[in-house]
Short mmCIF file of all heavy atoms in Angstrom, two decimals:
data_model
loop_
_atom_site.label_atom_id
_atom_site.label_comp_id
_atom_site.label_asym_id
_atom_site.label_seq_id
_atom_site.Cartn_x
_atom_site.Cartn_y
_atom_site.Cartn_z
N GLN N 47 -31.03 -1.94 42.17
CA GLN N 47 -32.46 -2.15 42.35
C GLN N 47 -33.04 -2.82 41.11
O GLN N 47 -32.90 -2.33 40.00
CB GLN N 47 -33.16 -0.82 42.60
CG GLN N 47 -32.91 -0.25 43.98
CD GLN N 47 -33.51 -1.12 45.07
OE1 GLN N 47 -34.62 -1.57 44.96
NE2 GLN N 47 -32.73 -1.37 46.11
N ALA N 48 -33.69 -3.98 41.32
CA ALA N 48 -34.28 -4.70 40.19
C ALA N 48 -35.33 -3.87 39.49
O ALA N 48 -35.52 -3.98 38.28
CB ALA N 48 -34.88 -6.01 40.68
N ALA N 49 -36.02 -3.03 40.27
CA ALA N 49 -37.08 -2.20 39.68
C ALA N 49 -36.54 -1.31 38.56
O ALA N 49 -37.24 -0.99 37.61
CB ALA N 49 -37.73 -1.35 40.76
N GLU N 50 -35.27 -0.91 38.67
CA GLU N 50 -34.68 -0.05 37.65
C GLU N 50 -34.49 -0.80 36.34
O GLU N 50 -34.42 -0.20 35.27
CB GLU N 50 -33.34 0.50 38.15
CG GLU N 50 -33.47 1.40 39.37
CD GLU N 50 -32.11 1.84 39.91
OE1 GLU N 50 -31.10 1.48 39.29
OE2 GLU N 50 -32.09 2.53 40.95
N ALA N 51 -34.36 -2.14 36.44
CA ALA N 51 -34.16 -2.95 35.23
C ALA N 51 -35.48 -3.33 34.57
O ALA N 51 -35.50 -3.81 33.45
CB ALA N 51 -33.37 -4.20 35.58
N VAL N 52 -36.60 -3.12 35.27
CA VAL N 52 -37.90 -3.46 34.72
C VAL N 52 -38.36 -2.34 33.80
O VAL N 52 -38.49 -1.18 34.22
CB VAL N 52 -38.94 -3.67 35.85
CG1 VAL N 52 -40.30 -3.96 35.25
CG2 VAL N 52 -38.50 -4.82 36.75
N THR N 53 -38.60 -2.68 32.55
CA THR N 53 -39.04 -1.67 31.58
C THR N 53 -40.55 -1.56 31.50
O THR N 53 -41.09 -0.63 30.92
CB THR N 53 -38.49 -2.01 30.18
OG1 THR N 53 -38.93 -3.33 29.82
CG2 THR N 53 -36.96 -1.98 30.18
N VAL N 54 -41.25 -2.54 32.10
CA VAL N 54 -42.71 -2.52 32.10
C VAL N 54 -43.19 -1.45 33.07
O VAL N 54 -42.78 -1.44 34.24
CB VAL N 54 -43.28 -3.89 32.51
CG1 VAL N 54 -44.80 -3.87 32.53
CG2 VAL N 54 -42.76 -4.98 31.59
N PRO N 55 -44.06 -0.52 32.64
CA PRO N 55 -44.55 0.52 33.56
C PRO N 55 -45.46 -0.07 34.63
O PRO N 55 -46.20 -1.02 34.38
CB PRO N 55 -45.33 1.47 32.64
CG PRO N 55 -45.74 0.61 31.47
CD PRO N 55 -44.64 -0.38 31.28
N ILE N 56 -45.41 0.49 35.82
CA ILE N 56 -46.28 0.05 36.91
C ILE N 56 -47.37 1.09 37.15
O ILE N 56 -47.12 2.30 37.16
CB ILE N 56 -45.46 -0.19 38.20
CG1 ILE N 56 -46.36 -0.80 39.29
CG2 ILE N 56 -44.76 1.07 38.68
CD1 ILE N 56 -45.60 -1.31 40.49
N LYS N 57 -48.60 0.62 37.29
CA LYS N 57 -49.73 1.51 37.50
C LYS N 57 -49.81 1.92 38.97
O LYS N 57 -49.36 1.20 39.86
CB LYS N 57 -51.03 0.81 37.10
CG LYS N 57 -51.04 0.31 35.66
CD LYS N 57 -52.26 -0.57 35.40
CE LYS N 57 -52.23 -1.18 34.02
NZ LYS N 57 -53.34 -2.14 33.80
N ASN N 58 -50.37 3.08 39.22
CA ASN N 58 -50.55 3.54 40.60
C ASN N 58 -51.57 2.69 41.34
O ASN N 58 -51.46 2.49 42.56
CB ASN N 58 -50.99 5.01 40.63
CG ASN N 58 -49.89 5.94 40.18
OD1 ASN N 58 -48.71 5.67 40.41
ND2 ASN N 58 -50.26 7.04 39.53
N HIS N 59 -52.56 2.18 40.62
CA HIS N 59 -53.60 1.36 41.23
C HIS N 59 -53.81 0.11 40.40
O HIS N 59 -53.60 0.11 39.19
CB HIS N 59 -54.92 2.15 41.33
CG HIS N 59 -54.80 3.40 42.14
ND1 HIS N 59 -54.78 3.40 43.52
CD2 HIS N 59 -54.69 4.70 41.75
CE1 HIS N 59 -54.66 4.65 43.95
NE2 HIS N 59 -54.61 5.46 42.91
N PHE N 60 -54.24 -0.95 41.05
CA PHE N 60 -54.53 -2.18 40.33
C PHE N 60 -55.96 -2.12 39.79
O PHE N 60 -56.84 -1.47 40.37
CB PHE N 60 -54.33 -3.40 41.22
CG PHE N 60 -54.86 -3.27 42.62
CD1 PHE N 60 -56.18 -3.58 42.91
CD2 PHE N 60 -54.03 -2.84 43.65
CE1 PHE N 60 -56.66 -3.45 44.19
CE2 PHE N 60 -54.52 -2.71 44.94
CZ PHE N 60 -55.84 -3.02 45.21
N PRO N 61 -56.22 -2.80 38.67
CA PRO N 61 -57.57 -2.77 38.07
C PRO N 61 -58.59 -3.46 38.98
O PRO N 61 -58.24 -4.23 39.87
CB PRO N 61 -57.39 -3.56 36.76
CG PRO N 61 -55.92 -3.62 36.53
CD PRO N 61 -55.28 -3.59 37.86
N THR N 62 -59.86 -3.19 38.74
CA THR N 62 -60.92 -3.88 39.47
C THR N 62 -61.01 -5.32 38.97
O THR N 62 -60.48 -5.67 37.90
CB THR N 62 -62.27 -3.20 39.25
OG1 THR N 62 -62.64 -3.33 37.87
CG2 THR N 62 -62.21 -1.73 39.64
N ARG N 63 -61.69 -6.16 39.71
CA ARG N 63 -61.85 -7.54 39.26
C ARG N 63 -62.64 -7.59 37.96
O ARG N 63 -62.35 -8.41 37.07
CB ARG N 63 -62.56 -8.39 40.33
CG ARG N 63 -62.66 -9.86 39.93
CD ARG N 63 -63.36 -10.71 40.98
NE ARG N 63 -63.40 -12.11 40.55
CZ ARG N 63 -64.30 -12.61 39.73
NH1 ARG N 63 -65.26 -11.83 39.22
NH2 ARG N 63 -64.26 -13.89 39.38
N GLU N 64 -63.62 -6.74 37.83
CA GLU N 64 -64.43 -6.71 36.61
C GLU N 64 -63.56 -6.36 35.40
O GLU N 64 -63.72 -6.94 34.31
CB GLU N 64 -65.57 -5.71 36.75
CG GLU N 64 -66.66 -6.12 37.74
CD GLU N 64 -66.19 -6.11 39.20
OE1 GLU N 64 -65.30 -5.29 39.54
OE2 GLU N 64 -66.71 -6.93 40.00
N GLN N 65 -62.64 -5.44 35.58
CA GLN N 65 -61.71 -5.08 34.49
C GLN N 65 -60.78 -6.24 34.17
O GLN N 65 -60.44 -6.46 33.00
CB GLN N 65 -60.91 -3.84 34.89
CG GLN N 65 -61.74 -2.56 34.92
CD GLN N 65 -60.98 -1.39 35.53
OE1 GLN N 65 -60.10 -1.56 36.38
NE2 GLN N 65 -61.32 -0.17 35.10
N GLN N 66 -60.39 -6.96 35.20
CA GLN N 66 -59.51 -8.12 34.98
C GLN N 66 -60.23 -9.21 34.19
O GLN N 66 -59.65 -9.82 33.29
CB GLN N 66 -59.02 -8.67 36.33
CG GLN N 66 -58.16 -7.71 37.15
CD GLN N 66 -56.74 -7.60 36.63
OE1 GLN N 66 -56.51 -7.56 35.43
NE2 GLN N 66 -55.79 -7.55 37.54
N ILE N 67 -61.48 -9.48 34.55
CA ILE N 67 -62.26 -10.49 33.82
C ILE N 67 -62.43 -10.08 32.36
O ILE N 67 -62.32 -10.90 31.44
CB ILE N 67 -63.63 -10.71 34.48
CG1 ILE N 67 -63.48 -11.38 35.86
CG2 ILE N 67 -64.54 -11.54 33.58
CD1 ILE N 67 -62.98 -12.80 35.82
N LEU N 68 -62.67 -8.79 32.13
CA LEU N 68 -62.83 -8.29 30.77
C LEU N 68 -61.54 -8.47 29.97
O LEU N 68 -61.58 -8.86 28.79
CB LEU N 68 -63.24 -6.81 30.80
CG LEU N 68 -63.53 -6.16 29.43
CD1 LEU N 68 -64.72 -6.85 28.76
CD2 LEU N 68 -63.81 -4.66 29.60
N ALA N 69 -60.40 -8.21 30.61
CA ALA N 69 -59.11 -8.39 29.93
C ALA N 69 -58.89 -9.85 29.55
O ALA N 69 -58.38 -10.16 28.46
CB ALA N 69 -57.98 -7.91 30.84
N LEU N 70 -59.31 -10.75 30.42
CA LEU N 70 -59.18 -12.18 30.12
C LEU N 70 -60.05 -12.58 28.93
O LEU N 70 -59.66 -13.41 28.10
CB LEU N 70 -59.57 -13.01 31.35
CG LEU N 70 -58.62 -12.98 32.54
CD1 LEU N 70 -59.29 -13.59 33.78
CD2 LEU N 70 -57.34 -13.74 32.22
N GLN N 71 -61.23 -11.97 28.84
CA GLN N 71 -62.18 -12.33 27.79
C GLN N 71 -61.81 -11.73 26.43
O GLN N 71 -62.11 -12.31 25.39
CB GLN N 71 -63.59 -11.89 28.18
CG GLN N 71 -64.16 -12.65 29.37
CD GLN N 71 -65.49 -12.05 29.85
OE1 GLN N 71 -65.72 -10.85 29.71
NE2 GLN N 71 -66.35 -12.89 30.41
N THR N 72 -61.18 -10.57 26.46
CA THR N 72 -60.97 -9.82 25.21
C THR N 72 -59.55 -9.91 24.65
O THR N 72 -59.33 -9.53 23.50
CB THR N 72 -61.31 -8.33 25.42
OG1 THR N 72 -60.50 -7.80 26.49
CG2 THR N 72 -62.78 -8.16 25.77
N THR N 73 -58.60 -10.38 25.43
CA THR N 73 -57.24 -10.52 24.93
C THR N 73 -57.16 -11.73 24.00
O THR N 73 -57.54 -12.84 24.39
CB THR N 73 -56.23 -10.68 26.08
OG1 THR N 73 -56.32 -9.54 26.93
CG2 THR N 73 -54.80 -10.83 25.56
N SER N 74 -56.68 -11.52 22.78
CA SER N 74 -56.68 -12.61 21.80
C SER N 74 -55.77 -13.75 22.21
O SER N 74 -56.11 -14.93 22.04
CB SER N 74 -56.26 -12.07 20.42
OG SER N 74 -54.96 -11.47 20.51
N GLU N 75 -54.60 -13.45 22.75
CA GLU N 75 -53.69 -14.49 23.21
C GLU N 75 -52.68 -13.92 24.20
O GLU N 75 -52.09 -12.86 23.94
CB GLU N 75 -52.95 -15.13 22.04
CG GLU N 75 -52.08 -16.31 22.45
CD GLU N 75 -51.32 -16.93 21.28
OE1 GLU N 75 -50.67 -16.16 20.53
OE2 GLU N 75 -51.38 -18.16 21.12
#
Side-chain angles (χ1 to χ4, degrees):
Q47 286 295 315
E50 296 175 3
V52 177
T53 57
V54 179
I56 186 169
K57 303 171 185 174
N58 291 328
H59 301 282
F60 42 87
T62 65
R63 184 180 181 277
E64 290 69 31
Q65 290 171 331
Q66 297 283 41
I67 292 292
L68 184 62
L70 290 167
Q71 293 172 330
T72 58
T73 301
S74 58
E75 185 181 51

